[in-house]
Amino acid sequence: MHAPVRGRFAPSPSGRMHLGNLFSALLAWLSVRAKGGVMVLRMEDLDPDRCREEYALQLADDLRWLGLDWDEGYGAGGPHGPYRQRERTERYAGAFQALEAQGLVYPCFCTRAERLAASAPHRSDGSAVYPGTCRTLTQAEREQRARTRSPAWRLMVPDRTAGFTDGLQGSYAENLGRDCGDFILRRSDGVYAYQLAVAVDDGGMEISEVVRGRDLLDSTPRQQYLLELLGLPSPEYYHVPLLLAPDGRRLSKRERDLDMGVLRRRYTPEELTGLLAHLAGLLERSTPVRAGELVSRFDWARVRSADVIVDDTILRG
């Protein structure tokens, strides 16, 4: 008998959720509920400067308002806790030490300006691929630089193509060395980086299905490589389309695009769920519906894979 699917919604409590966050949350929830699985709510609150408890509490309240419950996680507990990243640093430290023991971790003293100025190729999102400047420093050079600057710590990646089949986007592959480059595991201020934390959390919480935005598609080979090195299984992935404004800009917290404060004043939970289901391709038109009513007819084959332009009348109300 197969173990039940374990899915998760893992938001960052750095502000009020917006329409795009809810879009991912609804699809993650529907996929797990349609398969009779276990839903986990994890707070990705590693960044001490941006993440606040008040946002986490509001986020949980907004999910409940929309009818999206969870079986384990923030506020509910469970056997794989804690479910807040800021309380899981010992686990990240253990994984970091395991990678160090494999000889794959090295200190990086480059400033942001030096990284951007390096003559390296760029990823599809425009960010520079780290050229490995500090990888070959001698021990004496590292000690000298450490006197004036605290290093970040990077993982060496091989010249190897890594690929997988996404449940919605299809085949995806990239060369870890050429297209990704050695990436940061721990920042210079001691905060563990997103890629390491997510891999450790998904493995440790036995997450078997990850549903998230298409903007994180190219993070997957890095996370799968980390899971491989740490001896942890890789989940199945579904990268859902992004919601875009008519000018092609991605909806975001920073721009406060239809955050939940606005949405809760403008819509009932059923109206908002119907709108999200329509944008996803699950409903032919935006009709009020409860989230639970969509479970029996949910099918990934009906979900759009291309990014979705949100009509200007929705954005303006």
Side-chain angles (χ1 to χ4, degrees), residues 68-80:
L68 306 182
D69 60 352
W70 55 96
D71 307 296
E72 291 180 24
Y74 180 78
H80 299 84

Side-chain angles (χ1 to χ4, degrees), residues 67-221:
L68 306 182
D69 60 352
W70 55 96
D71 307 296
E72 291 180 24
Y74 180 78
H80 299 84
Y83 295 92
R84 299 179 57 169
Q85 286 186 334
R86 67 175 59 182
E87 298 174 358
R88 297 178 61 82
T89 53
E90 288 185 7
R91 291 167 172 80
Y92 309 145
F96 182 89
Q97 291 163 8
L99 296 168
E100 265 192 319
Q102 296 179 51
L104 297 174
V105 179
Y106 66 92
C108 173
F109 300 91
C110 295
T111 64
R112 176 177 172 79
E114 288 169 339
R115 293 197 304 271
L116 292 175
S119 56
H122 287 70
R123 301 178 60 84
S124 59
D125 62 3
S127 60
V129 176
Y130 183 68
T133 306
C134 292
R135 186 197 269 214
T136 57
L137 292 178
T138 65
Q139 184 61 31
E141 289 172 324
R142 290 175 178 175
E143 290 174 358
Q144 180 182 9
R145 297 191 184 198
R147 295 190 188 105
T148 57
R149 182 173 177 83
S150 297
W153 294 83
R154 291 184 182 270
L155 179 74
M156 296 181 189
V157 298
D159 180 12
R160 180 181 108 187
T161 297
F164 71 104
T165 300
D166 186 80
L168 194 57
Q169 302 297 332
S171 297
Y172 179 83
E174 65 177 32
N175 181 283
L176 290 171
R178 182 183 64 248
D179 303 322
C180 170
D182 298 344
F183 56 90
I184 291 176
L185 296 177
R186 195 172 74 195
R187 301 184 334 195
S188 59
D189 61 2
V191 175
Y192 288 97
Y194 167 79
Q195 305 293 357
L196 178 64
V198 168
V200 170
D201 290 347
D202 284 345
M205 294 180 185
E206 300 180 4
I207 300 300
S208 59
E209 177 179 287
V210 170
V211 177
R212 59 189 181 187
R214 190 187 59 77
D215 55 322
L216 292 171
L217 181 66
D218 63 4
S219 286
T220 306

